[in-house]
Amino acid sequence: MNQFGHFSLCLAWLLAICGIACGAIAGAKRSRAWFFSAIHATLAMCAASGAALLALGYGFLHDDYTNQYVWQFSNRAMQPIYKISAIWGGMDGSMLLWAFMLAVNCALLAVVARRSPNRLFGWAVAVADSAALFFFTVLVFFTNPFRYLNAATVPPDGNGLNPLLQNPYMAIHPPMLYAGFTTWAIPSAFCLGALLAGDLSNEWLRLTRRWSLVAWGFLTAGIVLGGHWAYVELGWGGFWAWDPVENASFLPWLTGTAFLHSVMVQERKNMLKTWNVWLVLLTYGLTVFGTFLTRSGVVQSVHAFASTDIGWVFLLYLGIFLLTGIFLTWYRRVELRPERRIESFFSREAAFLVNNLLFLSLCFAILWGVLFPVLSEAITGSKQAVGIPYFNAVNIPLFLLLVLLMGIGPLIAWRKASWTHVRRTFFIPFVMALFVAMALVWAGVVEFYPVLSYAICFFVLLTILGEFHRGVRAQKTSADQSMHIVRGVSTLFRRHRNRYGGYVVHLGVLVVTVSITASMAHKAEREFTLAPGERFTHGRFAFTLVSSATTRNDNYESLGADVRVERLNDGGEIALLHPELRFYFRNQETTSEVALRMGPREDLYLVLVGLSPDGQRVGFKLFINPLQIWLWIGAMVMVFGTALLVWPRRAALPATSRAENLAEARS
Amino acid sequence: MIDAGALLALLFTVAVVWFLIAPHLRGTSTALLQAASGGELSEQKRALLQVLKDLEHDFSTGKLSDADYQEMRAGVRGELAAVLKRLAS
């Protein structure tokens, strides 16, 4: 299987080269035959990379310790699901998964291209295959996952996977994140393809729309799942610590979100052409940069599970990619000139531009924080890191401004907004938000940012609801006066799915913002020890230690405790929590298994710290995280909104509306 | 004696090479790619119709002044007419 896997990888590498060459010839000579050869090469590349992944998976499931990578990241005691997730537990396998997902995206592009053979697609396939070629080059020459173990005899058992990675979220979080990262390669391929083909109409933007949204949806889901993994696995009571690897996944999300907004300006007003080119190139570049950060060992991180010395290969590729982008943008500078300029600062296009600047400011601030230790070491010789206070101080105001803009930008007119419209749209939400702020202060919430955040979220919520109200009213005016509100909303989604799907995503962002604000501002943290039968009270809850015991299996030894949680007012039992402290034999590592009781008001998050020196008392750390569950729900709303935007439409418009529209166009 | 794995790899490689050169063996090997295909134009038409709908919605919800609406609509209709003309030809 090792030989078959390695052969498949080499074949995929060769096919990527064929795909690039055929696609480029097709683009340059407008040859259909070369175009279809590029398509075939890309499909075969995907099949070959899939075969390589299957070969590695087979090795893990059959405990094939002749393979060095399998021996390093698996053992016989691991459950099958973790043997599969161990494929991406280290550098070599995660690169293979990455390359496979990229190849799948290239193949999907090839399938779409097959239906519409044109020059732009030819170049796009060539560029997408060049991204795949880079990852196959890394796999074939630097991180081959099919190396034989250098030992005289095959060991009876493997090293085992890092215990922190033996979590169900690790089975889904990396593939989701990689799906997001690799899907961003396709919009960037279309962009470079359009630059190479010299076709800088809005066609490439229209073609990339669905890819960009899917990439964004996957990236959002991947980031949130990573946050959830950190929340339930790392045992520090939080979900986001501005860790370099977390930030690395967040950077392309920021530029990608900016791109999704600014394309609307180009589609409507033919402005920001160069800006959009650079946003999409930057987004893909940042996904590669994120991989460099994760894999190179340049920055210290709790998530950096796969550190190697091949960072320079990533930097070289990134340099070539960006230089190509710079050259092509310069070469096509005439075609990229905007057809119009922003006429008024008070217009939707200006609001989108400010939105973009804020996203890029956030991106720069986070990038600066991530690279600060590296830069400080290069300049002063000593490594200095910036911590959570820096990230919070810089990012919270920028993020709140963005949320505020989310309630303003989509609601004002293109070109120039009138004061009358602005007053009519925003006056009531503004006054109501002011009341909410005053009510919060009166209720004892006196910190500046939480009050501001809740007030802004309320303001934006009202503006979005107002938008739905005006939309339904407009439907009633133009169609049926007695239209029921549910039918009105459904008609809105049917006719203007892009716009109202976007509002659903914005509602999700609001829920996430409220949850983050609450969990940051009102979080409670306590440490205590209990003997069996003893009780600890905090807020509305009482915690009683029922029992504690040590258990053992082939993989680990565990100290666990049963803690009964009751309501203080009526003594009713809420939950029986079972936190554990595990010691994994093979890895010689101790991990904490958090006991979590999620609720709509707050999460009870209990961590077992250890036994007292006399062994009679059990130590605990308790976190009470208000509104935490709403973070995950809000993220699901965001992904649902994205799915609404991506969902295929019916091929044809209704006959009447089509006839009306065509007549209108011809008139 | 030939190794079975090597034989399989050889067969696989031959199949892939045939798959790659197949488009050149067909009668259409000298055909040229279009700047944009019919399918693309239909998609472009659909997108422009959607933009028209959105403009109308913006106007009916009071976000666009009459002058801006007329101007933007005329621009989109011009693009749509060009696409329809290309589709018809």
Side-chain angles (χ1 to χ4, degrees):
Chain A
M1 265 301 161
N2 281 343
Q3 277 180 334
F4 175 72
H6 190 228
F7 165 75
S8 302
L9 264 187
C10 293
L11 191 63
W13 181 78
L14 282 171
L15 286 165
I17 294 175
C18 288
I20 297 167
C22 297
I25 296 171
K29 294 191 164 184
R30 292 180 54 196
S31 158
R32 277 179 81 90
W34 286 105
F35 178 84
F36 282 104
S37 285
I39 302 289
H40 288 187
T42 307
L43 293 173
M45 175 186 80
C46 177
S49 67
L53 191 69
L54 282 176
L56 189 61
Y58 182 90
F60 270 102
L61 285 173
H62 289 83
D63 302 314
D64 176 10
Y65 299 127
T66 59
N67 179 314
Q68 185 185 322
Y69 184 74
V70 174
W71 170 79
Q72 203 176 342
F73 292 102
S74 175
N75 64 31
R76 291 183 192 277
M78 275 164 51
Q79 295 170 30
I81 185 177
Y82 296 132
K83 285 185 180 176
I84 291 171
S85 66
I87 292 174
W88 47 89
M91 174 73 182
D92 306 356
S94 63
M95 279 292 100
L96 179 57
L97 179 70
W98 188 299
F100 168 69
M101 287 193 155
L102 188 51
V104 168
N105 272 303
C106 293
L108 288 173
L109 170 63
V111 169
V112 175
R114 199 177 195 160
R115 289 202 297 260
S116 319
N118 64 50
R119 274 188 81 202
L120 174 56
F121 271 120
W123 281 115
V125 168
V127 176
D129 284 355
S130 74
L133 175 68
F134 165 70
F135 285 97
F136 287 123
T137 304
V138 170
L139 279 162
V140 171
F141 297 104
F142 300 98
T143 66
N144 175 14
F146 297 103
R147 271 171 297 186
Y148 283 97
L149 183 67
N150 193 10
T153 55
V154 178
D157 205 356
N159 259 348
L161 185 65
N162 185 325
L164 288 175
L165 301 182
Q166 293 186 37
N167 177 292
Y169 285 100
M170 270 297 130
I172 183 136
H173 155 62
M176 205 61 106
L177 207 56
Y178 291 1
F181 284 160
T182 54
T183 310
W184 274 117
I186 305 302
S188 94
F190 271 115
C191 173
L192 284 180
L195 287 167
L196 284 161
D199 176 5
L200 289 157
S201 63
N202 294 341
E203 185 65 2
W204 75 269
L205 280 184
R206 195 186 58 68
L207 289 168
T208 57
R209 184 184 145 70
R210 193 165 284 168
W211 295 99
S212 312
L213 284 167
V214 169
W216 190 86
F218 275 127
L219 199 50
T220 306
I223 290 170
V224 174
L225 282 169
H228 200 84
W229 167 79
Y231 186 59
V232 299
E233 188 63 31
L234 296 183
W236 60 279
F239 54 91
W240 192 267
W242 296 110
D243 178 273
V245 173
E246 294 170 352
N247 293 338
S249 62
F250 195 42
L251 294 173
W253 186 89
L254 290 168
T255 50
T257 313
F259 174 70
L260 288 176
H261 287 90
S262 64
V263 288
M264 288 185 262
V265 180
Q266 185 173 337
E267 279 171 351
R268 289 293 173 82
K269 310 287 286 182
N270 273 323
M271 290 191 276
L272 306 182
K273 284 185 177 180
T274 311
W275 182 265
N276 282 326
V277 163
W278 272 99
L279 273 184
V280 77
L281 295 183
L282 199 60
T283 302
Y284 175 64
L286 283 169
T287 66
V288 178
F289 181 73
T291 324
F292 159 72
L293 277 185
T294 325
R295 316 287 162 184
S296 63
V298 164
V299 291
Q300 299 300 313
S301 160
V302 290
H303 302 274
F305 296 107
S307 158
T308 60
D309 54 357
I310 60 160
W312 66 271
V313 186
F314 283 87
L315 283 186
L316 182 67
Y317 170 64
L318 201 56
I320 294 170
F321 174 78
L322 292 177
L323 283 176
T324 309
I326 290 170
F327 170 74
L328 287 174
T329 319
W330 171 81
Y331 187 69
R332 301 287 183 198
R333 61 193 181 282
V334 177
E335 292 96 320
L336 285 170
R337 267 190 205 135
E339 289 175 20
R340 292 174 199 171
R341 303 214 170 266
I342 290 176
E343 290 173 44
S344 161
F345 185 74
F346 227 60
S347 60
R348 200 182 300 178
E349 50 268 43
F352 279 146
L353 186 61
V354 176
N355 147 305
N356 268 231
L357 291 174
L358 285 171
F359 271 116
L360 287 190
S361 305
L362 271 169
C363 184
F364 177 76
I366 294 170
L367 193 61
W368 179 256
V370 170
L371 292 180
F372 192 75
V374 183
L375 296 174
S376 64
E377 190 175 27
I379 295 166
T380 65
S382 71
K383 197 175 251 187
Q384 291 169 334
V386 293
I388 294 174
Y390 160 80
F391 287 106
N392 285 347
V394 177
N395 293 330
I396 288 175
L398 288 174
F399 183 73
L400 287 180
L401 264 174
L402 261 177
V403 176
L404 177 67
L405 211 56
M406 198 170 79
I408 297 173
L411 274 69
I412 56 177
W414 291 103
R415 201 171 170 188
K416 191 178 179 185
S418 72
W419 275 110
T420 321
H421 173 250
V422 168
R423 213 171 38 240
R424 203 175 55 220
T425 311
F426 298 114
F427 181 70
I428 294 176
F430 177 76
V431 172
M432 298 286 278
L434 215 56
F435 273 119
V436 164
M438 287 192 292
L440 283 168
V441 174
W442 178 76
V445 184
V446 288
E447 296 95 341
F448 176 68
Y449 278 131
V451 173
L452 186 67
S453 173
Y454 294 131
I456 287 177
C457 285
F458 193 68
F459 168 80
V460 178
L461 175 70
L462 289 182
T463 59
I464 293 176
L465 292 179
E467 186 67 357
F468 273 95
H469 171 69
R470 278 186 294 276
V472 172
R473 210 172 49 191
Q475 298 296 325
K476 280 186 178 177
T477 315
S478 64
D480 180 4
Q481 284 292 333
S482 60
M483 187 186 273
H484 188 269
I485 185 152
V486 177
R487 209 180 125 214
V489 171
S490 114
T491 310
L492 277 182
F493 273 103
R494 210 174 54 245
R495 290 193 179 170
H496 308 281
R497 203 192 309 162
N498 287 354
R499 179 187 305 238
Y500 289 91
Y503 289 143
V504 172
V505 177
H506 285 182
L507 285 173
V509 174
L510 287 186
V511 176
V512 167
T513 309
V514 169
S515 169
I516 292 175
T517 308
S519 65
M520 280 178 78
H522 319 299
K523 182 179 191 162
E525 188 179 333
R526 295 285 179 275
E527 282 190 53
F528 55 92
T529 61
L530 291 175
E534 245 181 17
R535 197 161 101 134
F536 170 80
T537 60
H538 178 75
R540 296 181 291 120
F541 307 103
F543 300 83
T544 309
L545 177 62
V546 179
S547 64
S548 66
T550 305
T551 54
R552 189 186 169 95
N553 63 25
D554 290 345
N555 206 8
Y556 57 80
E557 186 179 74
S558 161
L559 168 67
D562 283 329
V563 177
R564 190 170 56 242
V565 186
E566 295 157 325
R567 277 188 296 271
L568 263 183
N569 55 358
D570 61 3
E573 183 172 323
I574 298 170
L576 186 68
L577 298 177
H578 183 78
E580 280 184 52
L581 201 61
R582 289 182 184 171
F583 178 73
Y584 285 80
F585 308 122
R586 185 71 61 176
N587 310 72
Q588 296 286 300
E589 275 185 53
T590 304
T591 66
S592 181
E593 296 297 311
V594 174
L596 185 61
R597 189 258 181 192
M598 288 184 164
R601 268 181 81 169
E602 70 269 292
D603 279 8
L604 301 176
Y605 185 104
L606 194 63
V607 182
L608 199 159
V609 182
L611 286 174
S612 60
D614 60 2
Q616 300 301 307
R617 302 178 72 81
V618 184
F620 295 98
K621 204 166 193 179
L622 169 72
F623 298 90
I624 297 182
N625 298 326
L627 304 183
Q628 183 68 48
I629 199 171
W630 294 99
L631 174 62
W632 322 121
I633 293 173
M636 281 193 265
V637 174
M638 287 167 73
V639 174
F640 171 71
T642 314
L644 277 180
L645 294 168
V646 172
W647 202 258
R649 288 153 208 275
R650 272 178 296 180
L653 292 167
T656 48
S657 99
R658 190 173 54 200
E660 281 165 19
N661 285 322
L662 291 179
E664 186 182 27
R666 284 182 178 131
S667 65
Chain B
M1 190 178 158
I2 300 172
D3 177 45
L7 188 65
L8 193 68
L10 187 70
L11 284 175
F12 200 41
T13 310
V14 169
V16 166
V17 170
W18 179 84
F19 190 49
L20 289 186
I21 61 169
H24 295 267
L25 304 177
R26 290 180 199 140
T28 55
S29 60
T30 53
L32 291 180
L33 288 172
Q34 297 300 310
S37 74
E40 289 305 302
L41 286 172
S42 307
E43 186 60 25
Q44 222 170 316
K45 182 188 81 180
R46 199 198 56 74
L48 286 168
L49 287 173
Q50 187 60 48
V51 172
L52 272 181
K53 264 185 171 183
D54 284 348
L55 276 179
E56 193 186 330
H57 186 69
D58 271 352
F59 180 60
S60 60
T61 51
K63 283 184 206 149
L64 280 175
S65 69
D66 192 35
D68 286 346
Y69 171 59
Q70 296 299 344
E71 190 195 319
M72 287 167 86
R73 194 173 68 149
V76 178
R77 280 196 332 200
E79 279 183 58
L80 185 56
V83 170
L84 288 172
K85 204 171 162 185
R86 281 167 72 193
L87 263 177
S89 65

